């Protein structure tokens, strides 16, 4: 997150999302939703136990980008291009489509983040070796 300034020029809302992450005591935030700019920009603070691979679901969004930042713990995140997947139906109200297919994986540790643009398929909340606790903030960024 210390190198987040590299992303500010990409989008004003993305820059505001990084400012929130850098200027807020993330460890002190309680679980829940934090409005930064109404439906255009908001943060979801989550606490959960990571899942085994067979419990994961591939997902993608159309209206929002995700800035996902791990605060504590470590998780494995699946990622893949849309053309490797088959959609199972888009839920416009929740801005999510679950998909089937296969992707690659990366590991996110405390203080690390990933930006996922609409149409980028991902599988969050996966265990690295064994399920464990994670605190993560997902900033939802409306993409016009």
């Amino acid at each position: 997150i210390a190198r987040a300034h590299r992303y500010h020029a990409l989008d004003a809302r993305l820059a505001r999302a990084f400012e929130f992450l850098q200027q807020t005591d993330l460890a002190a935030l309680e679980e829940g939703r934090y409005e930064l700019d109404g439906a255009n920009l908001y943060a979801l603070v989550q606490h959960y136990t990571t899942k085994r691979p067979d419990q994961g679901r591939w997902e993608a969004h159309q209206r929002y980008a995700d800035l996902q930042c791990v605060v504590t713990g470590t998780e494995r995140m699946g990622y893949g291009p849309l053309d490797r997947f088959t959609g199972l139906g888009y839920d416009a109200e929740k801005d999510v489509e679950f998909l089937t297919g296969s992707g690659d994986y990366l590991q996110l540790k405390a203080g690390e983040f990933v930006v996922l643009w609409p149409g980028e398929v991902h599988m969050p909340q996966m265990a690295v070796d064994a399920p464990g606790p994670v605190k993560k903030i997902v900033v939802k960024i409306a993409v016009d």
Side-chain angles (χ1 to χ4, degrees), residues 58 78-81 83-86 99-105 121 123:
W58 292 102
Y79 175 84
D83 63 1
R84 287 193 207 165
F85 294 86
T86 301
L99 305 102
T100 59
S102 64
D104 300 304
Y105 292 86
V121 182
M123 183 189 296

Side-chain angles (χ1 to χ4, degrees), residues 8 19 36-37 43-44 55 80 89 91-92 95 97 99 107 117 127 129:
H8 286 203
E19 288 169 5
L36 305 176
D37 182 19
L44 302 171
Q55 295 175 304
D91 182 335
D95 186 40
E97 179 168 20
L99 305 102
Q107 187 171 297
W117 296 100
D129 293 315

Side-chain angles (χ1 to χ4, degrees), residues 63-121:
R63 295 188 331 261
Y64 287 89
D66 282 359
L67 168 54
Q68 298 195 16
C69 180
V70 174
V71 179
T72 60
T74 303
E75 81 172 48
R76 194 169 174 236
M77 165 102 43
Y79 175 84
L82 191 57
D83 63 1
R84 287 193 207 165
F85 294 86
T86 301
L88 301 175
Y90 176 67
D91 182 335
E93 185 176 322
K94 295 180 181 179
D95 186 40
V96 67
E97 179 168 20
F98 294 105
L99 305 102
T100 59
S102 64
D104 300 304
Y105 292 86
L106 58 100
Q107 187 171 297
L108 292 173
K109 299 177 183 176
E112 296 178 341
F113 68 88
V114 63
V115 177
L116 300 155
W117 296 100
E120 293 185 320
V121 182

